[in-house]
Amino acid sequence: MAAFGTVFMPQMTLATFENSNWSSPELVSSDSIQLHPGAHVLHYASTCFEGLKAFRHENGSINLFRMDRNIERMQQSSQLLSLPAFDASFLQKMITDVVKHFHNDVPKPPGSMYIRPTHIGTESAIGKAASPTSSSMLYVLLSPVGDYFASGDQTLRLLLEEDGSRCAAHMGMVKSGGNYASALQPILQARASVNADQVLFCPNGDVQETGAANFLLIDGNEIITKALDSSFLHGVTRDSILTIARDMGMTVSERELSVDELLERAAKPESEAALSGTAAVLAPVGTLIHKGKEIPVGDASPGKTTLKLRKALNDIQWGKAEDKHGWLTQI
């Protein structure tokens, strides 16, 4: 497969909001959109998106994973960005319609169809820096993706950043392009200076998230991760992993985690750390970099619990294990 998210299906579903009403969604070409150069999104970043996946099961059925949670989060992001509201059923139909249309193109395991709903402000009014857009566009792109770990499980190197944040604290819950853009320079600098894969943002010593994923620390039978608040993204994969961990009898601690505690626990031989997200599900972390020192997490190899949790979630997604929580929507 090509690099993740670089291949797209030739059509997408699209709807527009104008004159206080949503248009009927249409199936259109996915190679371009019409946008005025003065569009609100281009000047004032009125944009949010989601990422979810469709999976092909052995019986040929196509199943969407936790679509309701992604739609709910996108409604929340739209509200926090003052973008026009939409009903959950409206976006659900847009998603299911385009996935049904490309039913035959959903890859077999370990691949999947990545789904990217996107909402942007389209009003051409560059004088509205302090006012919301009155019009918008909602569309759903599809991208077939392969196995994220096709090259093998390689542990990640994270630079701990205590002086900066991924984004403004009140914007953490919004899945917006601006949040990712604000993390780019720290990530690029970390790659160039210490060969880090990602930056783990820990403002004032508070362990939060990386530029594109939630962070989990595993110490024996306990998973520790920051409690939900407005400062970071409430990951759907994060929630799924924590639910599975509880099902397995693990202790899940959603609380404040300091850099000092993280480093102390990471030094234990059996400790593990991982990043959770839609693309990788659960990616093992092998090294933490702090104030010029490299601290291995456990023995610096992919942890057994990390791999067990990832497999458990994958098995549900691919229909190899019971969907006890009703996470799959068959279409």
Side-chain angles (χ1 to χ4, degrees):
M1 297 289 290
F4 187 96
T6 59
V7 174
F8 300 95
M9 303 313 297
Q11 292 174 299
M12 64 181 179
T13 44
L14 182 147
T16 57
F17 183 87
E18 293 184 50
N19 301 318
S20 302
N21 288 296
W22 282 101
S23 68
S24 296
E26 295 181 282
L27 195 67
V28 301
S29 173
S30 62
D31 65 353
S32 64
I33 55 174
Q34 187 171 351
L35 201 60
H36 191 281
H40 199 275
V41 62
L42 300 178
H43 299 267
Y44 307 119
S46 51
T47 169
C48 59
F49 62 91
E50 274 302 321
L52 64 154
K53 285 178 177 177
F55 299 88
R56 180 179 298 279
H57 289 188
E58 283 189 9
N59 63 6
S61 68
I62 305 302
N63 295 264
L64 299 165
F65 184 72
R66 304 201 73 175
M67 173 172 60
D68 58 335
R69 284 297 298 270
N70 286 99
I71 291 175
E72 180 184 331
R73 190 170 65 179
M74 191 161 188
Q75 288 179 302
Q76 175 183 268
S77 292
S78 295
Q79 179 186 12
L80 293 173
L81 289 170
S82 299
L83 282 163
F86 55 85
D87 291 335
S89 59
F90 185 76
L91 180 53
Q92 179 174 326
K93 188 175 188 304
M94 290 181 67
I95 292 170
T96 54
D97 281 356
V98 71
V99 175
K100 283 180 181 178
H101 186 76
F102 291 104
H103 179 284
N104 294 332
D105 297 287
V106 177
K108 296 178 181 179
S112 59
M113 184 68 80
Y114 186 84
I115 305 164
R116 175 54 64 92
T118 305
H119 193 188
I120 62 174
T122 56
E123 183 181 2
S124 52
I126 57 174
K128 299 189 76 170
S131 301
T133 180
S134 64
S135 61
S136 70
M137 180 184 297
L138 183 63
Y139 57 87
V140 182
L141 280 170
L142 298 184
S143 177
V145 295
D147 183 4
Y148 189 89
F149 295 98
S151 59
D153 269 309
Q154 298 177 352
T155 58
L156 301 173
R157 293 165 51 84
L158 305 185
L159 174 66
L160 307 190
E161 172 56 71
E162 297 184 71
D163 296 326
S165 301
R166 173 177 178 257
C167 60
H170 70 283
M171 286 290 288
M173 290 193 302
V174 184
K175 195 168 178 67
S176 177
N179 289 352
Y180 292 81
S182 68
L184 275 178
Q185 275 301 307
I187 294 170
L188 292 175
Q189 290 168 7
R191 287 176 183 168
S193 62
V194 294
N195 193 32
D197 297 292
Q198 262 290 354
V199 173
L200 178 56
F201 291 96
C202 312
N204 301 313
D206 177 32
V207 178
Q208 295 188 347
E209 62 184 334
T210 68
N214 292 134
F215 178 80
L216 306 174
L217 174 65
I218 302 171
D219 185 354
N221 197 51
E222 182 182 16
I223 292 186
I224 305 169
T225 189
K226 183 174 172 62
L228 295 178
D229 63 24
S230 64
S231 69
F232 74 108
L233 193 65
H234 301 180
V236 177
T237 303
R238 171 193 179 278
D239 180 75
S240 305
I241 290 292
L242 296 184
T243 300
I244 290 172
R246 291 187 184 99
D247 290 346
M248 291 179 171
M250 296 184 68
T251 299
V252 175
S253 300
E254 296 184 77
R255 60 172 176 79
E256 298 303 305
L257 174 63
S258 69
V259 167
D260 288 342
E261 182 183 0
L262 169 59
L263 296 177
E264 180 182 343
R265 288 180 180 264
K268 296 181 180 180
E270 301 299 320
S271 286
E272 304 175 29
L275 301 183
S276 65
T278 300
V281 180
L282 205 57
V285 173
T287 305
L288 303 175
I289 306 166
H290 182 246
K291 295 182 178 178
K293 296 181 180 179
E294 297 196 5
I295 300 97
V297 180
D299 64 3
S301 65
K304 293 179 180 178
T305 302
T306 298
L307 300 181
K308 181 174 70 172
L309 288 168
R310 189 176 77 206
K311 183 179 185 301
L313 181 51
N314 280 151
D315 283 349
I316 296 170
Q317 293 171 328
W318 290 321
K320 298 177 181 179
E322 181 186 358
D323 177 23
K324 294 190 296 185
H325 299 284
W327 287 340
L328 296 173
T329 302
Q330 183 174 321
I331 60 173

